[in-house]
Amino acid sequence: DGDGMINDDERIWGLDPTNPASLNPISVPLDAAAGTLSYTRRNPALSGIAYSYQWSTTLGPAGWTDFTPATETPDGASPVETVEITLDAGLLANPKLFVRVVAQD
């Protein structure tokens, strides 16, 4: 669709590989006050893809640390679900914080 994303990557994140406007799985950016963010993904029960979380304060390649969210709430929709995660208050205390979701098949 010419948006610069690989079609398989778009599918993993529940995006539409035929729509150039469908290019961001983050449905609600990080709300620092509440510590929550939401994203879309293919339902793991259907895709077999495992999703995990990492944080960093630098964005450097070696600076990423795995973490488990305080809460992870998928809406259970199929084939694409929206997931809201809540970050631990300790992570939110960092003056800079970057969070990423990693997909592995």
Side-chain angles (χ1 to χ4, degrees):
D1 62 3
D3 63 9
M5 288 187 72
I6 298 168
N7 288 347
D8 284 343
D9 288 347
E10 290 190 69
R11 287 184 190 94
I12 288 170
W13 299 109
L15 303 173
D16 181 354
T18 65
N19 180 352
S22 176
L23 52 90
N24 189 352
I26 303 298
S27 49
V28 178
L30 178 63
D31 175 341
T36 60
L37 68 90
S38 297
Y39 69 96
T40 59
R41 68 183 185 192
R42 299 282 299 175
N43 188 313
L46 300 174
S47 67
I49 296 170
Y51 297 87
S52 60
Y53 305 95
Q54 297 179 336
W55 69 274
S56 175
T57 57
T58 66
L59 287 179
W64 293 96
T65 303
D66 293 333
F67 77 96
T68 300
T71 64
E72 178 185 45
T73 310
D75 67 9
S78 181
V80 176
E81 64 184 3
T82 299
V83 180
E84 180 180 271
I85 65 169
T86 304
L87 281 65
D88 183 270
L91 284 179
L92 294 169
N94 286 294
K96 290 184 183 177
L97 179 65
F98 305 95
V99 175
R100 70 182 179 186
V101 184
V102 180
Q104 295 176 316
D105 56 359

